[in-house]
Amino acid sequence: MKSAVSSVKSTSWSLIYADFKEITKARLAVSVVFSSIAGYFLGAYQIDFVSVLLLAFGGYCMVGASNAYNQVIEKDLDALMKRTRNRPVPSGRMSVNTAMAIAIALTLLGVLSLYVLSPKTAMFGAISIFLYTSVYTPLKTKTPLSVFVGAFPGAIPFMLGWVAATNDFGIESGTLFMIQFFWQFPHFWALGWMLDEDYKKGGFKMLPTGKKDTGTALQIILYTIWMIVISVMPAFGFTGRLQLSVPAAIIVLLAGLAMLGFAFKLYEKRDNPSARRLMLASVTYISLIQLIFVIDKFSKTLF
């Protein structure tokens, strides 16, 4: 009898944990934390692991809060789409009040954690939540420009780490912001291309032309080119302390050209498999170049 009760409790906790991961979009949140920590390592003169933990915790809370608010606001639309109908709120596994309580708690914990690092870090974190929840989310059903608006909070994490390390917003953090800003267009338009039919069921307007056509594919190519240009700029000495060695810049350039190749493939074929390959290439690209920037910085220090 005891074992049966403990088994039920274990199952209940596992379901609660699974729903918490779902409402905070754990995988996305972890990738954002990774970006923030990479930015911190780039900006820090000396690594303070307490600060890294605060940044990681605060960053996860901020992303989790944004996603929880988003899923409350869009619960009725999520119920219409195959990819989102099983989320905790639209499926009925979690009440709106519970989801809001989680969102508010994560907001407070996130802002407090980032404020301990610096008021500027907390400010940018709070701006990110506001833009994502109050501007980007409502615009998704009204105009494709929502992706442009959403790119602002989406570009903050890489920059946020630098600000947390230096308590300063300058050319370096601005460059990190611009790298992730331009990266988001090919990434989200590739995702929007793949899920266009499902998005339309919820009334979301995610593609720049509203269609899976050459116009959308061409814009993906153009924004990918801008992303590459910004990514290699630190090799030319225009970006303050944020610098890249020539070998590192070549690797970043090659990675960007590889992603651009997937963008041209999408332009050529205009099909979902090509969009999926571009989306996966974009995820690989942003993680890879963040690692390259960090490794390049510390290799200069060591050698």
Side-chain angles (χ1 to χ4, degrees):
M1 184 67 176
K2 285 184 179 180
S3 63
V5 171
S6 64
S7 176
V8 169
K9 285 182 179 179
S10 175
T11 302
S12 298
W13 280 111
S14 65
L15 291 174
I16 291 170
Y17 177 62
D19 279 347
F20 179 80
K21 288 199 302 180
E22 180 71 21
I23 202 165
T24 59
K25 291 189 181 177
R27 282 190 295 180
L28 172 62
V30 168
S31 70
V32 168
V33 167
F34 179 86
S35 294
S36 298
I37 291 174
Y40 178 89
F41 282 175
L42 289 173
Y45 290 100
Q46 186 174 351
I47 304 300
D48 175 39
F49 287 100
V50 173
S51 296
V52 172
L53 289 174
L54 284 169
L55 179 62
F57 179 74
Y60 189 99
C61 287
M62 294 305 228
V63 180
S66 297
N67 289 320
Y69 287 126
N70 174 266
Q71 290 180 48
V72 169
I73 295 167
E74 294 181 348
K75 66 183 189 307
D76 295 331
L77 300 179
D78 281 348
L80 302 174
M81 297 184 291
K82 182 179 179 181
R83 62 181 283 270
T84 55
R85 64 176 59 142
N86 196 43
R87 284 176 174 173
V89 179
S91 68
R93 295 193 311 274
M94 183 181 292
S95 70
V96 169
N97 287 342
T98 300
M100 278 298 293
I102 290 171
I104 292 169
L106 289 174
T107 301
L108 295 174
L109 288 170
V111 170
L112 179 61
S113 298
L114 296 181
Y115 187 84
V116 172
L117 287 172
S118 78
K120 283 184 183 177
T121 309
M123 178 189 71
F124 282 119
I127 289 172
S128 175
I129 291 180
F130 174 79
L131 288 176
Y132 188 89
T133 304
S134 302
V135 186
Y136 165 67
T137 295
L139 284 177
K140 286 165 67 179
T141 57
K142 300 189 181 340
T143 172
L145 285 173
S146 62
V147 174
F148 175 79
V149 174
F152 282 90
I156 285 176
F158 201 14
M159 171 206 79
L160 192 71
W162 186 287
V163 175
T166 64
N167 194 32
D168 180 57
F169 181 85
I171 185 65
E172 299 91 348
S173 50
T175 302
L176 297 180
F177 178 90
M178 293 303 290
I179 290 171
Q180 200 148 353
F181 180 82
F182 282 104
W183 167 81
Q184 286 179 92
F185 293 94
H187 173 74
F188 281 108
W189 283 337
L191 185 63
W193 188 297
M194 288 167 49
L195 301 172
D196 185 53
E197 289 77 12
D198 209 25
Y199 273 132
K200 284 178 177 174
K201 292 176 186 175
F204 294 120
K205 305 175 188 296
M206 304 304 290
L207 297 178
T209 66
K211 301 175 184 177
K212 301 196 290 187
D213 58 9
T214 54
T216 289
L218 180 60
Q219 289 197 52
I220 288 172
I221 289 171
L222 294 175
Y223 276 90
T224 303
I225 291 170
W226 273 112
M227 176 200 74
I228 294 169
V229 170
I230 301 297
S231 296
V232 298
M233 272 183 57
F236 296 93
F238 303 141
T239 54
R241 283 205 299 123
L242 182 66
Q243 298 179 3
L244 270 182
S245 66
V246 172
I250 291 172
I251 297 172
V252 169
L253 176 61
L254 291 175
L257 292 175
M259 183 171 156
L260 184 61
F262 285 105
F264 273 108
K265 266 302 181 198
L266 178 60
Y267 181 84
E268 176 190 342
K269 296 191 172 182
R270 297 191 298 281
D271 60 7
N272 285 355
S274 298
R276 177 175 173 76
R277 284 190 283 272
L278 173 59
M279 188 272 293
L280 293 174
S282 69
V283 172
T284 302
Y285 175 83
I286 197 66
S287 300
L288 178 63
I289 70 157
Q290 287 168 351
L291 279 173
I292 290 168
F293 269 72
V294 171
I295 291 170
D296 188 54
K297 173 191 172 179
F298 286 98
S299 65
K300 292 171 188 171
T301 305
L302 293 173
F303 302 106

